[in-house]
Amino acid sequence: MRHEPIGQKLFTTNRKRLVKLLKPGSMVVFNSNDIMPTNADGTMGFKQNSDLYYLSGIHQEESILVICPDFPDKQYREVLFLKEPNELMEKWEGHKLTKKEATLISGVETVMWLSGFEKMLHHMMTIGGVDNVFLNTNEHYRAEEIVQTRDARFIEWCQRTYPLHKYRRIAPIMGDLRREKQPRELELMQKACDITECGFRRVLNFVRPGVMEYEIEAEFIHEFIRLGSKGFAYGPIIASGENNVILHYVDNSQQCHAGDLLLLDVAAEYANYNADLTRTIPVSGSFTKRQKEVYNAVLRIQREANKILRPGVIYFEYHKEVEKMMESELLKLKLIDKTDIKNQHKDNPAFRKYFYHGTSHMLGLDVHDVGNMHEKIMLDSVWTIEPGIYIKEEKFGIRLENNVVIGKSRNFDLMRNIPVDAEEIEEIMNSK
Ligand code: GLY
Ligand code: MN
Ligand code: MN
């Protein structure tokens, strides 16, 4: 692995926190993700199942974690199943985890080969005292499961094989656990943000009129990989000029022109934890007066939003408050007027023409992390704050995005070191 060892304490603690929430007679099974095929014999890069990783730190395909806290024989209360390495596999794919290595990473004492899984499961399901079987589904409210996951295949098999057990969802419990970040997770997320900062500073010194958006993408990935990241946390958005206003522009194929703005929604992963940064910079190193006016409006909203994204608040109520701030800034910028507001329909308020996405989401092992958005905002959860104003008719848009930890007396900004003041950005760009 590229990253520093995480230490098994995080994963051991996470499993303990999970077990506390289970009722007697429960068993939980987590499957790793599949390696997804492309064409011919091609495959996509491996992305581990975040729940399995959260509870074990294991980043290897075809792994299964079983937690069965009331199993009579203590040594089988936590079992990790891995594929058994063989000479041919290692010749082609390189090293696979040994049982000892898996224990060292995860803290799970009992590691077995996959070939023993069905027999062990049968034992647990029959004389092992298991009544409630918790299985894992992707319940992210925006998930579209168009391809069957390994977990979903396992659910079908398990329900067919053991039809009279009680089946339950582990996803809401995992969401609750994962919302509250542990100190070690915050360190890893800080590292993802620090690597992201290095990429951004490199780009500040690189951007000039005439460069292609994909050349900027190359600068970022060079810096991220050099610093021990596996790469981008999500498809990088490197959008110059009119592309600024397209939220998910990922083509990154255009030339950057003098006078244009460049919106960079680009961040690194580190040890499977994600950063999520957006900055908007002037291609030629200086904002126009109008661009700066809009920029500072977005920055004011971001700073004010950070004061009200606090423990106990409901996200959707917070978002409404941010929309109010947005409305008043758009009035000042003369993008909307009082008549627009008077005539607006409640389902399509005037500000929505210029601000057409959510303000914040949770962040962690997933970029749009799990956890119920209707629950009160929790201490030690990590959120993005990412207001934006997109003015199609003026051919530019601005979004600024930072990542904050919800703290007791105030939030802690994981991106506090990443330049955001317009003047600081200009100064760095002009000092190259
Ligand atoms: N980069 C994805 C997002 O900001 O939500
Ligand atoms: Mn985001
Ligand atoms: Mn983003």
Side-chain angles (χ1 to χ4, degrees), residues 330-392:
L330 293 178
L331 280 167
K332 280 190 260 169
L333 291 166
K334 299 200 174 4
L335 287 165
I336 57 175
D337 59 28
K338 290 251 159 72
T339 319
D340 294 326
I341 294 176
K342 214 173 115 208
N343 295 336
Q344 72 189 8
H345 188 274
K346 72 173 180 17
D347 295 332
N348 188 23
F351 69 78
R352 196 153 293 155
K353 180 173 174 202
Y354 300 102
F355 175 45
Y356 36 85
H357 57 74
T359 314
S360 297
H361 56 82
M362 283 178 274
L363 180 72
L365 283 172
D366 290 298
V367 175
H368 294 169
D369 212 20
V370 293
N372 189 339
M373 297 280 277
H374 288 284
E375 300 270 344
K376 288 177 181 166
I377 288 169
M378 201 182 211
L379 200 65
D380 293 332
S381 56
V382 177
W383 290 78
T384 67
I385 305 179
E386 48 181 308
I389 296 177
Y390 311 94
I391 319 173
K392 197 166 195 286

Side-chain angles (χ1 to χ4, degrees), residues 211-214 216-217 235-257 259-265 278-281 283 291 354 356-357 388-399:
V211 294
M212 303 301 288
E213 292 165 347
Y214 53 76
I216 298 163
E217 180 176 332
I237 297 166
I238 300 177
S240 64
E242 290 180 64
N243 298 330
N244 288 175
V245 305
I246 306 167
L247 296 183
H248 288 168
Y249 172 81
V250 287
D251 204 29
N252 306 344
S253 61
Q254 301 299 305
Q255 193 169 43
C256 300
H257 300 295
D260 280 351
L261 292 185
L262 176 65
L263 187 150
L264 303 162
D265 188 343
T278 308
R279 289 290 183 267
T280 308
I281 65 173
V283 169
Q291 287 167 349
Y354 300 102
Y356 36 85
H357 57 74
I389 296 177
Y390 311 94
I391 319 173
K392 197 166 195 286
E393 57 274 24
E394 296 185 37
K395 298 187 176 21
F396 73 90
I398 290 166
R399 176 165 69 257

Side-chain angles (χ1 to χ4, degrees), residues 6-14 105-106 183:
I6 296 174
Q8 51 177 247
K9 187 168 154 244
L10 170 63
F11 308 114
T12 308
T13 306
N14 287 344
I105 293 170
S106 64

Side-chain angles (χ1 to χ4, degrees), residues 304-329:
E304 289 306 308
N306 190 27
K307 293 182 192 157
I308 61 168
L309 186 76
R310 301 288 300 133
V313 168
I314 300 287
Y315 166 76
F316 294 101
E317 287 166 12
Y318 148 85
H319 179 59
K320 275 210 180 78
E321 289 303 310
V322 174
E323 287 177 338
K324 280 188 209 153
M325 295 176 200
M326 183 59 80
E327 187 180 82
S328 101
E329 291 289 353

Side-chain angles (χ1 to χ4, degrees), residues 112-127:
M112 298 173 68
W113 301 132
L114 263 185
S115 50
F117 173 70
E118 286 191 17
K119 193 168 165 208
M120 189 71 227
L121 189 84
H122 190 66
H123 198 116
M124 288 170 169
M125 293 290 260
T126 51
I127 56 170

